[in-house]
Amino acid sequence: MNLMESLLLLIYLIASITFILGLKMLSNPKTARNGNLIAAAGMALAIIGTIAFYTDSSGEHLGNHLWILGGLAIGGIVGTMSAKKVKMTDMPQMVSLFNGMGGACAALISIIEFKHLVHDFQPELYAGGGYTYFSTLDGVSLLVIMAGLIIGSVSFTGSMIAWAKLDGRLNDFAFSGQHIVNILLLLVTVGLTTMIIFLRPEETIEFFYAALVLSAVYGILFVLPIGGADMPVVISLLNSFTGIAAACGGFLYDNTAMLTGGILVGAAGTLLTILMCNAMNRSLLNVLIGSFGVSAQSGQSTGVQGAHKEMSISDVAVLMSYSSKVVIVPGYGLAVAQAQHVCHELEKLLTEKGVEVTYAIHPVAGRMPGHMNVLLAEADVPYEKLKEMEEINDEFPSVDAVLVLGANDVVNPAAKTDPSSPIYGMPILEVESAKHVIVNKRSMKPGYAGIENELFFRPKTSMLFGDSKKVLQDLIAEIKNL
Amino acid sequence: MDQLLNWFTQHQDMIYIVILMIFVGIEIIGRVPSVLHTPLMSGANAIHGVVIIGAIIVMGNADTTDITALILGFLAVILGTLNVVGGFVVTDRMLEMFNKKK
């Protein structure tokens, strides 16, 4: 082992430590930003170290420096620009998009490595065997290549669909028997993988590309029917998929940095996904088979109908100014209207008048877990004002007025009362136990999950129609005039 | 079966890394407040961009006469970099907003 190799190993060790440290620091509000920077620094170090010091088994250095640097420059510039330009509301799509890029990268690596394996395969070296990969040590490497290919391409197409759906470019789509098709696709892909390992390599190139296409199709069909409150789960799951795909590369190249980073994200992402599934009373298996979009559609027909009452801006202004405790429930409507700053202004105005104002944050409000926190943090809302679901649910009985801003499914009582509802079992913010509920929405249209909300027809509830930003501005003006 | 056992012996240290990292990853996520779920997911998203190292190795080993390998490798490097750079910048932008309020 020469100096360069040892140096590179040291660099990978440092990078691995920064990944762990970075993730750990990311889980505390005080250290989060530095954590991100530390992990980024470790990543930069690992990239530079690889270009400068990497040697293959025969001691050869990496070539094609211009290609590598060119690719890094293009990706770096485009990545920075798009990440800087994206609006706060479009953040979830952006994460999904970047995740897909990582998945595609892993799949491409597998394609190239497979071609190398086929090209370099020398049956005469393995005399006596059946001339298949399985009779060589490459058999397991091939398994790793296949895993990287399948997981990477599922992650790529899945993330692209998730991106298109969150961006409003694509609607939910489901056909009957879709999960049977999905399971079949998976089985065929596994079958192809087995054949690739047990057959003569020159016969399996078609199977390899078939596996690539099938897993790409699986990724599409897997995400297409899923909608509404389930999107966060999907993004988190695909995120951990890409982590595992990256770890496959770690095995392939005996690369500890790739292995640590990939497995770390794979494990953390999977746990986060399971936590989110639990919060919505779904099993992960159910998510994996991709069948819950279908049940969401069947729930659509049993809509609750009835009369809702509206309230004027001035009445709301009076009600809120003379309350002692007001809770604001933000949802995706607030994000779309970019009303977070106005919302903070309202909160400050009410606080000056002696009203106690807090925010109730549902874990899956918006399009991603913590989406609302990021949005409100952008508007400088103090951290202490944000209450998590469990904490605030006990407080609602003593609350005078709840202002629901563009949230729907997370306050839908059907989740507790109606077993046929697709969101049945999901914990909700129990706004109903407050004295008054004011719901701001653009129209009576159902929420993202496509189900009617009984809450809007309850006697305690008053509707306040209009764009969140406009309504809040009017409300502020009205309160100032009181 | 022999190959599998052989492979296990050869990659013992890596298998240990996998097992330990699974526990580390779970420990880290287990204590995170839901406020930070989005930035954390985004940060994790950037970290799995470490796949870029594989892309660089593939690109660097590519035979200069093999146009397909060159193009695919080049594409892989671009996509991997997008994942890394975009991921870290987006995460930083999110966290910037948390820091401002103090």
Side-chain angles (χ1 to χ4, degrees):
Chain A
M1 182 167 288
N2 62 35
L3 179 71
M4 280 192 172
E5 267 176 79
S6 330
L7 211 54
L8 188 58
L9 286 182
L10 187 67
I11 285 176
Y12 285 157
L13 178 66
I14 295 172
S16 302
I17 294 171
T18 63
F19 294 161
I20 300 171
L21 210 63
L23 262 190
K24 192 176 160 51
M25 287 170 78
L26 266 169
S27 58
N28 183 322
K30 286 206 178 67
T31 55
R33 199 169 179 201
N34 287 334
N36 186 51
L37 293 179
I38 286 176
M43 185 74 75
L45 189 66
I47 292 174
I48 296 168
T50 308
I51 299 174
F53 302 130
Y54 182 85
T55 46
D56 61 16
S57 47
S58 50
E60 290 276 333
H61 275 282
L62 290 179
N64 303 323
H65 280 112
L66 276 181
W67 287 85
I68 297 174
L69 294 176
L72 285 173
I74 294 175
I77 292 168
V78 175
T80 314
M81 297 232 293
S82 45
K84 287 256 183 213
K85 243 179 39 199
V86 67
K87 282 190 305 232
M88 222 44 219
T89 29
D90 297 338
M91 227 46 130
Q93 289 93 300
M94 208 67 216
V95 173
S96 189
L97 201 61
F98 288 140
N99 181 45
M101 301 293 125
C105 181
L108 281 176
I109 292 173
S110 284
I111 295 174
I112 301 169
E113 285 302 325
F114 182 77
K115 289 171 71 126
H116 281 172
L117 268 189
V118 172
H119 189 259
D120 299 343
F121 188 71
Q122 293 164 301
E124 62 274 14
L125 288 186
Y126 308 107
Y131 301 161
T132 73
Y133 280 121
F134 192 67
S135 58
T136 74
L137 195 64
D138 286 343
V140 187
S141 291
L142 192 64
L143 205 61
V144 175
I145 290 178
M146 289 308 294
L149 176 86
I150 294 167
I151 301 169
S153 40
V154 167
S155 178
F156 170 60
T157 53
S159 299
M160 288 302 112
I161 298 291
W163 164 76
K165 284 177 73 159
L166 284 171
D167 219 33
R169 290 162 197 263
L170 205 65
N171 291 323
D172 299 352
F173 171 79
F175 55 87
S176 57
Q178 182 152 2
H179 41 279
I180 298 173
V181 175
N182 281 0
I183 293 171
L184 277 178
L185 275 176
L186 273 187
L187 285 178
V188 173
T189 313
V190 171
L192 284 173
T193 307
T194 323
M195 280 161 78
I196 289 170
I197 291 167
F198 286 99
L199 285 177
R200 291 170 65 93
E202 59 267 29
E203 297 168 334
T204 59
I205 301 167
E206 291 83 5
F207 294 148
F208 182 82
Y209 288 115
L212 171 67
V213 172
L214 286 182
S215 30
V217 172
Y218 176 78
I220 295 171
L221 289 181
F222 162 58
V223 181
L224 256 186
I226 307 170
D230 302 322
M231 249 328 139
V233 180
V234 176
I235 297 179
S236 169
L237 187 67
L238 292 174
N239 193 31
S240 64
F241 276 11
T242 314
I244 296 165
C248 289
F251 267 114
L252 209 55
Y253 300 118
D254 269 333
N255 188 306
T256 42
M258 285 175 83
L259 196 64
T260 329
I263 295 289
L264 203 59
V265 174
T270 307
L271 182 75
L272 185 61
T273 313
I274 292 173
L275 288 179
M276 280 191 258
C277 288
N278 289 348
M280 298 198 298
N281 204 25
R282 284 189 218 282
S283 72
L284 184 58
L285 184 72
N286 197 289
V287 179
L288 279 175
I289 299 171
S291 65
F292 50 66
V294 180
S295 69
Q297 287 203 329
S298 66
Q300 219 164 6
S301 51
T302 59
V304 203
Q305 284 305 324
H308 59 269
K309 63 172 190 286
E310 285 189 50
M311 205 172 187
S312 72
I313 296 268
S314 50
D315 287 344
V316 177
V318 172
L319 174 66
M320 294 187 76
S321 313
Y322 293 99
S323 297
S324 61
K325 217 170 168 183
V326 169
V327 172
I328 298 173
V329 179
Y332 190 62
L334 181 89
V336 170
Q338 289 287 310
Q340 63 273 31
H341 294 280
V342 203
C343 183
H344 181 46
E345 217 177 300
L346 173 74
E347 167 230 309
K348 278 193 294 193
L349 188 63
L350 288 171
T351 314
E352 276 167 31
K353 286 181 170 282
V355 185
E356 188 191 333
V357 189
T358 47
Y359 293 86
I361 308 294
H362 190 280
V364 297
R367 292 288 187 271
M368 279 184 112
H371 193 181
M372 291 300 122
N373 304 87
V374 175
L375 203 69
L376 291 172
E378 190 200 348
D380 288 328
V381 174
Y383 186 62
E384 312 80 56
K385 291 248 177 212
L386 311 180
K387 296 283 170 80
E388 289 188 25
M389 182 172 62
E390 292 80 14
E391 194 184 346
I392 198 85
N393 269 348
D394 300 331
E395 286 181 28
F396 275 123
S398 65
V399 169
D400 300 299
V402 174
L403 180 61
V404 179
L405 293 172
N408 191 342
D409 299 326
V410 296
V411 293
N412 191 340
K416 290 177 71 183
T417 55
D418 179 10
S420 72
S421 170
I423 59 166
Y424 181 69
M426 179 174 93
I428 55 160
L429 290 163
E430 289 158 15
V431 292
E432 267 192 295
S433 42
K435 293 189 190 72
H436 294 278
V437 181
I438 303 146
V439 181
N440 166 240
K441 275 173 68 57
R442 272 168 299 179
S443 66
M444 279 307 279
K445 263 181 33 202
Y448 200 50
I451 37 177
E452 289 285 349
N453 195 335
E454 234 180 295
L455 176 77
F456 305 156
F457 307 104
R458 294 284 164 90
K460 270 187 200 172
T461 311
S462 314
M463 304 301 290
L464 188 59
F465 291 119
D467 174 78
S468 294
K469 194 169 183 176
K470 171 111 194 6
V471 164
L472 285 172
Q473 278 163 345
D474 292 349
L475 196 57
I476 289 170
E478 204 59 53
I479 293 176
K480 278 183 178 158
N481 280 340
L482 281 176
Chain B
M1 233 340 97
D2 268 0
Q3 287 78 38
L4 215 57
L5 285 177
N6 252 330
W7 189 81
F8 266 119
T9 340
Q10 280 205 351
H11 292 83
Q12 205 200 54
D13 47 348
M14 307 217 103
I15 291 157
Y16 270 90
I17 293 180
V18 169
I19 308 278
L20 292 175
M21 280 310 128
I22 289 174
F23 283 98
V24 170
I26 288 173
E27 275 301 305
I28 285 170
I29 277 277
R31 274 179 255 140
V32 62
S34 69
V35 196
L36 283 173
H37 276 175
T38 301
L40 184 74
M41 194 196 275
S42 178
N45 177 45
I47 289 175
H48 69 49
V50 71
V51 70
I52 177 70
I53 291 179
I56 291 174
I57 294 175
V58 156
M59 182 81 246
N61 282 336
D63 194 339
T64 33
T65 54
D66 187 351
I67 299 294
T68 352
L70 281 179
I71 290 171
L72 289 180
F74 189 56
L75 211 59
V77 173
I78 293 177
L79 293 175
T81 320
L82 269 176
N83 187 182
V84 172
V85 177
F88 280 122
V89 174
V90 158
T91 314
D92 191 59
R93 270 194 64 195
M94 287 184 197
L95 292 168
E96 189 181 16
M97 288 156 192
F98 281 88
N99 274 20
K100 245 183 359 190
K101 82 212 175 230
K102 268 181 270 168

